[in-house]
Amino acid sequence: MEKILDGKKLAEKLNLELKNKIDELIKRTKIKPKLATILVGEDPASKVYVNIKHKTCTQVGIESYQVNLSKDINKTDLLNEIEKLNQDTDIHGILLQLPLPLKIRDFTPQFLEKISPIKDVDGFHPINRGKLFDYNEELAPCTPKGIIALLEHYNVEIKGKDVTIINRSNLVGKPLIFMLLKRNATVSVCHTSTRKIDRYIKQADILIVAVSRPKFIQKERIKEGVIIIDVGTNKVEGKLVGDVDFEDVLEKVSMITPVPGGVGPMTVSYLLRNTFSVFKKKLNIN
Ligand SMILES: NC(=O)c1ccc[n+]([C@@H]2O[C@H](COP(=O)([O-])OP(=O)(O)OC[C@H]3O[C@@H](n4cnc5c(N)ncnc54)[C@H](OP(=O)(O)O)[C@@H]3O)[C@@H](O)[C@H]2O)c1
């Protein structure tokens, strides 16, 4: 059994499969899928993420279009920019890079709601969130989709398993609850107010960690044979690391995702897949 859940390798395979499907569809329709990304301000990490998304789009044959907006943009103007993209029939998917600058951050839910639900490749619109409540994952958020795909690819049995998620954000923890319940797991969700968090960590057959704290999980805290999904991304001395002390836990786990090369590439891969999905829907193709 392979111990490392290699997200990079799986993402490359999925992206190649997707590229073939996109090429074939472009040949048939002469239309190219197009994703618009909106970047507000100059946040270096956001710039890096958007660039990775554009680069990977190009690799699979998705055209990408970047809208760069000033950090000083006001609420009305950003809503108008989103509406322009909603109305643009050449644009199939829209992504608003988060987090937004502090000045307008409080309005994030309103901006996400403004994105047309049929172009909502991040799966953050209330309609798509609501569909997930009914176990419809068509436009579910990309990171949870990537995590489930990784587990399923490596034949990890989810049914009947105790899964602990340490995160309750809209991006990671909340969508995962529904995806895991759909697959008949028993789900515990932990956060900063969880009392005696170690009970939940220790009981987990599958532990999903996204707290943004390097070395948050060490071998003393986990059960022998646990499967760990490390979602966290932290910069330590210029290096990207997760929330799990990888070297420390490696002997004790049965499987684990590395950082980098685990959840990150799977997230991007599912962004591309969601973009392809909205594109096909627009063309009325199943
Ligand atoms: N690789 C990828 O593709 C990818 C994608 C998405 C996110 N990420 C990474 O995942 C991490 C989380 O992202 P996010 O957007 O979900 O962040 P977030 O909104 O800040 O959520 C962090 C979560 O962790 C919980 N938490 C923090 N410290 C804790 C502690 N000491 N004990 C228990 N719970 C704790 C928080 O609890 P409260 O709710 O009580 O505050 C919150 O639910 C970040 O490192 C981010 O970069 C990676």
Side-chain angles (χ1 to χ4, degrees), residues 49 143 166-173 190-194 197 209-213 216 230-234 243 262-268:
Y49 291 137
T143 300
I166 315 181
N167 179 297
R168 58 171 163 179
S169 72
N170 290 338
L171 188 64
V172 182
C190 302
H191 43 80
T192 50
S193 298
T194 302
I197 194 170
V209 195
V211 294
S212 250
R213 288 163 194 266
F216 184 75
D230 188 354
V231 189
T233 54
N234 310 287
D243 291 339
V263 175
M266 292 300 294
T267 298
V268 180

Side-chain angles (χ1 to χ4, degrees), residues 5 150-159 161 206 227 255:
L5 300 170
L150 198 50
L151 290 170
E152 291 183 339
H153 175 77
Y154 282 92
N155 296 316
V156 173
E157 171 99 309
I158 297 175
K159 184 176 175 182
K161 293 291 162 67
I206 301 173
I227 292 166
M255 288 177 162

Side-chain angles (χ1 to χ4, degrees), residues 15 51-62 268 272:
N15 294 352
N51 284 340
I52 292 172
K53 289 167 188 172
H54 280 262
K55 202 176 122 207
T56 331
C57 273
T58 310
Q59 282 167 4
V60 300
I62 294 173
V268 180
L272 307 177

